[in-house]
Amino acid sequence: MGGHPGGARWLGPRPAPCARRPRPVRRRVPPVARGRAAGNLPPPMPMLLLPDATVYSLPRSEPFHFPACAGYTDACGTGNWLVFSGEDGCFLRDPFTNDTVAVPALSRTRFQCVGDEFDDKAGLTWIEMCKAKLPDAHKIVFCSPHLIAAIFNYSRVEITRIAICQPGASSWWSVLGNGPLFVDIVFHQGKLYALSSDDTLFAVDISVDHSTGDPWVSQIQQVINGLLSTQMIFLPDGVLILRESYLVESDCAVLLVCREIDLLLIAGNWDSIEVLEAERSRFEVYEANFGQSQWTKVTTLGNDQVLFLCRRFCRSVNISHNEMPGDRIFFMDNDEGYYPSYSEEASSSCSVYSMRDSEVSTPLPMVSWKPGEVLATWLFP
């Protein structure tokens, strides 16, 4: 599917654009960071950030309050960018460097249709949306200083759409008006990829309109066949088997991580979740084989690799075995946005899945939080 309006130019792959950052607003390199850059200290360990700006450094540490994170409303899918919302829209901020990037308000949205023929008048309709119809930015990915991508979730009609923009409050979100139900996106080697609910992977090509300077989706095409036939399986004994899929960039590969969760439903009320136990989680990992257009199952991540998962942000990290065992997956127990369905006693915590023996353990046994609209996330100093 494709089309090109007048005045648009092609954006080809670029070498690692996600590694570039905008010019910092204000930056002060602390002595610890300078020592680390000089090779005097080992790489810092990942950190768990809770919604109240409490931070824990793995594998175990005393909690501390991180003021630069206070008030965040969401996490970005790349780097350490956090999302902050205000009356005039929202912005991204890195709590370690204080770099700030403005993002258009969700009301500044235009819809486009990608098909065999592109109708500029019907396909790029500029609209201001009323608050009642505003989408939820399900995932935001800072791709480069010139491109931000997101998944917009329209809960009223239960659909998701790919949305892209260039940084800046005066810009517009360009929303792909058609396509499958997307659940995740990742920016890999200069290309945006989107995952549908049946684990089909799509490549998203992006162009720029010369008249406005705004990016738009010029083509979307399937590159990997899907795996999944259904996301939910109901068992007679009141157990719901829920499957969640995540995209993770790992070195030169794109990984698909599939998590199966056994949820115990409240008897007589199948819309309410009574128990979610981390021990009832199972994982499978696949690597994108673009040459054969299929997912290839992976049985090990390697002794020096650890995956950190949450719905808004995933990362593969090289790690020293002296600091933490490898070949593991860190994840949040209650991370999927189903918090309205949980019982009042429900809580969330951080758990670890071992690829070697399929065992689940708890690295921070005394740490838990209540599920809510603001999700916990990972930071990588």
Side-chain angles (χ1 to χ4, degrees):
M1 297 182 291
H4 302 272
R9 63 181 176 85
W10 179 257
L11 287 183
R14 299 175 180 175
C18 54
R20 301 193 304 269
R21 288 186 175 180
R23 181 174 299 174
V25 176
R26 181 181 298 174
R27 177 173 297 183
R28 174 183 176 271
V29 182
V32 171
R34 289 197 295 267
R36 188 173 292 127
N40 299 327
L41 295 173
M45 298 299 289
M47 303 164 69
L48 172 65
L49 172 64
L50 302 189
D52 63 357
T54 300
V55 173
Y56 294 84
S57 180
L58 299 175
R60 287 184 175 87
S61 75
E62 293 297 321
F64 65 92
H65 184 71
F66 199 165
C69 300
Y72 83 94
T73 58
D74 210 338
C76 193
T78 46
N80 286 308
W81 299 102
L82 297 176
V83 182
F84 295 82
S85 299
E87 295 182 358
D88 299 328
C90 61
F91 60 92
L92 310 180
R93 184 172 68 202
D94 185 322
F96 296 104
T97 65
N98 281 329
D99 290 359
T100 301
V101 176
V103 178
L106 298 184
S107 61
R108 294 182 60 83
T109 301
R110 66 177 185 178
F111 287 90
Q112 63 174 101
C113 293
V114 175
D116 294 331
E117 294 185 4
F118 193 95
D119 186 340
D120 184 64
K121 182 177 180 181
L124 289 179
T125 304
W126 298 77
I127 62 172
E128 284 278 355
M129 302 182 67
C130 65
K131 271 193 173 181
K133 297 181 179 179
L134 288 180
D136 166 43
H138 177 69
K139 183 171 186 177
I140 300 176
V141 175
F142 188 93
C143 303
S144 78
H146 307 289
L147 180 66
I148 293 175
I151 295 180
F152 277 12
N153 180 21
Y154 296 87
S155 57
R156 289 175 176 264
V157 288
E158 297 184 350
I159 62 173
T160 59
R161 292 291 180 253
I162 299 294
I164 58 175
C165 73
Q166 62 175 336
S170 62
S171 180
W172 287 78
W173 288 101
S174 179
V175 178
L176 180 63
N178 54 356
L181 182 68
F182 293 111
V183 297
D184 206 354
I185 53 176
V186 68
F187 195 70
H188 174 67
Q189 294 185 348
K191 177 76 102 175
L192 182 65
Y193 293 95
L195 185 74
S196 66
S197 58
D198 65 350
D199 297 334
T200 300
L201 189 67
F202 294 84
V204 182
D205 292 330
I206 298 169
S207 296
V208 171
D209 191 323
H210 282 315
S211 61
T212 64
D214 288 310
W216 58 280
V217 176
S218 57
Q219 182 172 263
I220 177 171
Q221 55 184 341
Q222 179 178 323
V223 292
I224 300 288
N225 299 323
L227 295 172
L228 183 62
S229 58
T230 180
Q231 284 185 295
M232 298 183 182
I233 301 175
F234 289 91
L235 301 181
D237 54 356
V239 173
L240 166 65
I241 299 178
L242 180 67
R243 181 180 169 107
E244 294 289 339
S245 299
Y246 306 82
L247 286 179
V248 186
E249 184 182 32
S250 178
D251 294 329
C252 296
V254 173
L255 301 182
L256 168 66
V257 182
C258 302
R259 177 189 178 193
E260 281 193 352
I261 319 163
D262 293 345
L263 302 175
L264 180 60
L265 305 179
I266 296 177
N269 187 358
W270 305 123
D271 291 332
S272 298
I273 300 170
E274 183 175 13
V275 177
L276 190 158
E277 298 178 354
E279 292 77 8
R280 293 173 177 254
S281 294
R282 300 171 297 280
F283 288 86
E284 290 183 341
V285 181
Y286 300 84
E287 181 177 338
N289 186 328
F290 293 103
Q292 299 183 11
S293 300
Q294 66 182 19
W295 295 108
T296 301
K297 191 169 183 178
V298 175
T299 57
T300 179
L301 302 173
N303 293 331
D304 60 346
Q305 288 291 316
V306 175
L307 301 185
F308 291 85
L309 303 184
C310 64
R311 173 48 54 200
R312 298 309 208 244
F313 178 56
C314 301
R315 180 178 287 191
S316 174
V317 176
N318 286 310
I319 210 149
S320 169
H321 186 77
N322 295 329
E323 299 170 314
M324 181 187 298
D327 208 14
R328 300 195 300 171
I329 300 173
F330 281 74
F331 64 99
M332 315 285 189
D333 296 343
N334 300 333
D335 177 51
E336 312 309 325
Y338 302 114
Y339 64 90
S341 300
Y342 296 143
S343 65
E344 293 182 359
E345 294 77 22
S347 64
S348 188
S349 59
C350 167
S351 298
V352 186
Y353 177 86
S354 172
M355 291 287 289
R356 298 172 184 173
D357 55 19
S358 303
E359 294 293 323
V360 175
S361 58
T362 305
L364 299 169
M366 304 302 293
V367 179
S368 65
W369 61 94
K370 296 293 291 184
E373 293 185 9
V374 180
L375 302 178
T377 188
W378 305 107
L379 294 176
F380 297 86

